[in-house]
Structure formats: structure tokens, C-alpha cells
Amino acid sequence: MTEFYMETYGCSRRYLDAERINSYFVSNGLKRTMSPLTADYLIVVSCGLTRDKEDAVMDAVIRLKRFKGRMLVYGCMPAMNAERIGAVYSGDTLATKNIDNIDDFFPEFSNKFKDMGDANEIITVFPDQSWRGVRKKYLSNPLKKFISFFIAQPHENEGLPGGIGFDERIFTLRVSEGCLGSCSYCNIRKAIGTIKSKPVQKLLEELDRYPLNMRLEINLISSDAGAYGLDIGSSFPELLSAVLNKNDGIVIKFIQDLHPYWICKYSEQLIELLSTRRIKSILTAVQSGNPRILKLMKRWVDLGRFAEIIGRMKNIYPDLKLRTQVIAGFPSETEQEFQDTIEYVNHCGFDEVDIFAYYETDGTDSAGIKPDIPRKIVLERVNRMRRSIRARKRISI
């Protein structure tokens, strides 16, 4: 039987892509193997968000291209850093925004990718323990640094156990792909393209895949959730209302990537929907608490209005969990401007905060902003914000 092998890196959306690609291959009579040694096809689902993610993808490409199988590198990195991949690999690549063109690489397949439908679950693949002996065999030969290919790569849950984030154990609705943003530090849009919303009716049909005679918790994910519907004559509040009205037992456990702009724009509708107490947590990335830095980031956030609205959201539903993200060490950020971010985050009382050290990517607008902040100072700011948030949580308990 023809076999395929796959490794996946990145966010929950790329893991859903991997599940759909898996279904595509299986429906065409292929068998998934835990080893690249016997695989006829080798698939790398990639991420290019951070240097660490890029490094992991590059390691996979270098390892896997040594085998006989035909390789396809899919995902965000082929569009975000084609030069780096091209330096070591000249084979097939496919950017995230072009996933529907995957049939072009496999014209021999009778079942087409568009007919697979989106995935609503992520199935974690663990190593086949029978390979332990084979791995041991290679420990003392020149291939030893490549032995990790025998381990299927488990994905990283975007939330910590018990935390606020994507939970792969529950039903997931990917409501759209792509983004309307133009953040100066980000080149992900090169990979994912502009907003592409699924029609509300199609999403409700996806919900029909699971019985609704019971309490159903779902993730609602997107690269730019608030922009949902603007390309198809709908809106994000309309989507939320339709999902919640589908069945009284539906609970939205997590909403991914709801930009503060959309929280401000749709504030009244969101507060009304939160009063149902059926929306449990939201990721809304503020990125900075300083207006000048936000302007350089090309992120529209009225900091005062945003803080006031999330305060109202918490008042209407005290159990609502809010998670945010911030970037430390953005180019030209002064010490006082970083302190503004610490104070803003603590003032807003977010339940969880993801702190990212600024990472410069070639081709982004922020790469031309000077002066750069020395790496030592960037990392010190990250650690200082962590200490401040931990101290605030201890005081609030």
C-alpha cells in the first residue's frame, strides 16, 4: 500500500489543515506511516511565526529530504521565508492561502481536496513504540542527529492545562481564514491572505456533525475573528448569535484572535451575548499599552475605550476569562513606553498574558524602524513583565 508520513508545526489552524490533508490522503487509498523510511510521500506542515518555529521546520526539511519519498512543504513558512527554505530544498512547496491547490501536486488522486470538508478535531499522534529498537540502532552512526524523525511530532497546545486557550479535546469551528490586519511586525498575511469567511449556514452544518442533545463545548477559531463576514455580507456578532441559537446546550469555550478593534466596534452586541454566560474565554491581543508604539505597530487600539469595554464585559459576566498578548522590545520602545504596557496590562486585569520578545522578520515594515532594542534588554523586559504579572495575581488572590 502507498504510504505517507507527516510532521506538523504551528498553531491550531495548521493542525486542522494537517487533519484535512490526512483525510485527503486516506480517502485516496494511502496509509499513514510513523516512519519516513517507507513513505512514498513526505508532508511537512510548517509555521514561520518565530525563529524557533522556523528552526524546527528547517530541521524537519533537512531530515526528511534524505528519504526516497516525494516531499511537499506546506504552510506559512514557504510564503513567509521562502529564501531560507530554498537554500536547502528545491522541491514542492504550497502556501497556506493556496491550500485548495493541493490537487495540482497529486493529479493522480481521484478524490479531490475540496470535497474533504474542514476538520473539527485535532488527533494527536504519538510515537509508535515499536520503533524504539530502530532508534537505538542509529545512536552510534552518522545519522544519529537525525533520529528524531522516528518520533511523530506532538503539537503544542496553545493553552496550558487549565488555562485559557485552544483545547484540542473539544469540537472546533474554524470560522474563517486570512486577516484584514496590516501589523507592521507581521508577515503572516503573506501566507494566509485576506479574510475568507465560511457562510454561517455552512458552519451550522458543521455543527450538525455532532449530536446537539447535550451540552456541547466548542472552540471558535480564526486568524482574525472579528473580521468574520465582511467579505460575505455578514458579521461576527451575527455568527455568534447563530451558533448560540443553534442549540441551548452550545457553549463557546474559547474565541481565538479577536482584535481589540472589533471588541470596540461590536461592544454592545458582544456584551449582550456575554450576558448569556455561554461565552467562556476570549483571546484579544493588545500588544502594547503605549499609543506611539501601537501606531508604529499599525494596530488601531483606543486604549482607554478598550479598557472600559472589557471592564463592562467582566461586570456583565464576572467568570469571563480574558487572555492577551504583548510584544516586548519593539524597535525604538523606550523604558517608559514598556512600563506603560506593564501598567496597562495590570490595570485591565487580564487573566492570562502571553509575552513575546520582539522578533524581526525580513520584509516587514517594522524591520525599518530604528533603533533596535538590544536583545539583552528585550529579554530583561520579558522577564520583568512576567514578574509583574505574577506579583499582581498574588496580590489579587
Side-chain angles (χ1 to χ4, degrees), residues 12 16 117-123 165-175 198 202-212 214-221 243 246 249-255:
S12 55
L16 289 174
D118 206 352
N120 301 110
E121 292 181 287
I122 294 174
I123 303 171
F166 179 82
D167 185 343
E168 79 279 7
R169 297 168 298 180
I170 66 175
F171 188 84
T172 295
L173 279 182
R174 174 165 36 183
V175 302
K198 291 181 187 175
K202 185 174 182 179
L203 289 165
L204 296 181
E205 289 170 2
E206 287 187 29
L207 280 174
D208 285 335
R209 297 174 185 173
Y210 277 68
L212 294 180
M214 61 184 72
R215 181 182 177 89
L216 176 64
E217 293 184 325
I218 67 172
N219 299 307
L220 196 155
I221 70 170
V243 169
K246 172 76 172 177
I250 293 177
V251 172
I252 300 174
K253 189 172 182 181
F254 177 57
I255 297 175

Side-chain angles (χ1 to χ4, degrees), residues 120-164:
N120 301 110
E121 292 181 287
I122 294 174
I123 303 171
T124 304
V125 179
F126 293 100
D128 182 342
Q129 298 301 310
S130 66
W131 283 100
R132 288 183 179 274
V134 181
R135 291 177 60 221
K136 184 176 180 181
K137 172 183 174 183
Y138 284 99
L139 285 175
S140 58
N141 77 19
L143 281 176
K144 64 182 179 180
K145 66 179 179 179
F146 300 112
I147 61 169
S148 61
F149 62 65
F150 290 109
I151 302 179
Q153 303 292 321
H155 70 273
E156 297 176 10
N157 189 356
E158 290 183 300
L160 298 174
I164 303 163

Side-chain angles (χ1 to χ4, degrees), residues 45-96:
V45 180
S46 69
C47 176
L49 180 62
T50 66
R51 177 66 66 179
D52 288 346
K53 295 290 188 184
E54 281 192 3
D55 289 346
V57 171
M58 291 300 295
D59 174 70
V61 171
I62 292 169
R63 284 187 283 107
L64 296 178
K65 73 175 186 176
R66 296 169 176 265
F67 299 99
K68 69 177 180 66
R70 177 185 168 194
M71 185 156 68
L72 172 65
V73 180
Y74 161 76
C76 292
M77 194 170 171
M80 295 172 68
N81 201 337
E83 295 79 7
R84 191 175 182 197
I85 290 181
V88 301
Y89 170 70
S90 58
D92 292 332
T93 63
L94 180 65
T96 303

Side-chain angles (χ1 to χ4, degrees), residues 9-38:
Y9 302 86
C11 65
S12 55
R13 296 180 297 278
R14 299 295 73 78
Y15 275 89
L16 289 174
D17 289 346
E19 294 294 341
R20 192 176 175 198
I21 293 170
N22 182 85
S23 297
Y24 175 58
F25 277 97
V26 171
S27 73
N28 281 288
L30 280 73
K31 176 185 177 183
R32 186 166 182 173
T33 176
M34 296 296 293
S35 166
L37 286 172
T38 59

